[in-house]
Amino acid sequence: MVNTILILSYCFLILSILGTLYRLVKGPSAPDRVQALDALGINIISGIAIFSVSSRNTGFFEVILLIGILSFIGTIAFSRYIERGVVIERGQPK
């Protein structure tokens, strides 16, 4: 029963990744592409979590946490760049 659920999870995850990749390539605007990139990070985290459950190994939890943090920081950086044109604002020289 659990193996069937894991296989179904892999199938749905692959479909989700394909849809996300389509939006990443064909996205009509840059914010759509940033959102697709964030969704792709979530899909990668989900894939690692499913693999962790199927292999009965808890060693991947740190990898999941690291990818989540990097995906969040990347999304914030891309969003700031789209909104303001720079990622890190520096003070104006006097």
Side-chain angles (χ1 to χ4, degrees), residues 45-58:
I45 290 171
S46 301
I48 293 172
I50 293 170
F51 179 74
S52 176
V53 170
S54 66
S55 66
R56 298 179 185 195
N57 187 356
T58 59

Side-chain angles (χ1 to χ4, degrees), residues 32-76:
D32 292 331
R33 290 187 172 112
V34 169
Q35 190 173 12
L37 199 61
D38 189 39
L40 187 62
I42 292 170
N43 287 334
I44 290 172
I45 290 171
S46 301
I48 293 172
I50 293 170
F51 179 74
S52 176
V53 170
S54 66
S55 66
R56 298 179 185 195
N57 187 356
T58 59
F60 295 104
F61 290 162
E62 289 87 11
V63 175
I64 290 172
L65 181 65
L66 183 65
I67 291 174
I69 291 170
L70 290 176
S71 176
F72 175 74
I73 291 172
T75 302
I76 296 298

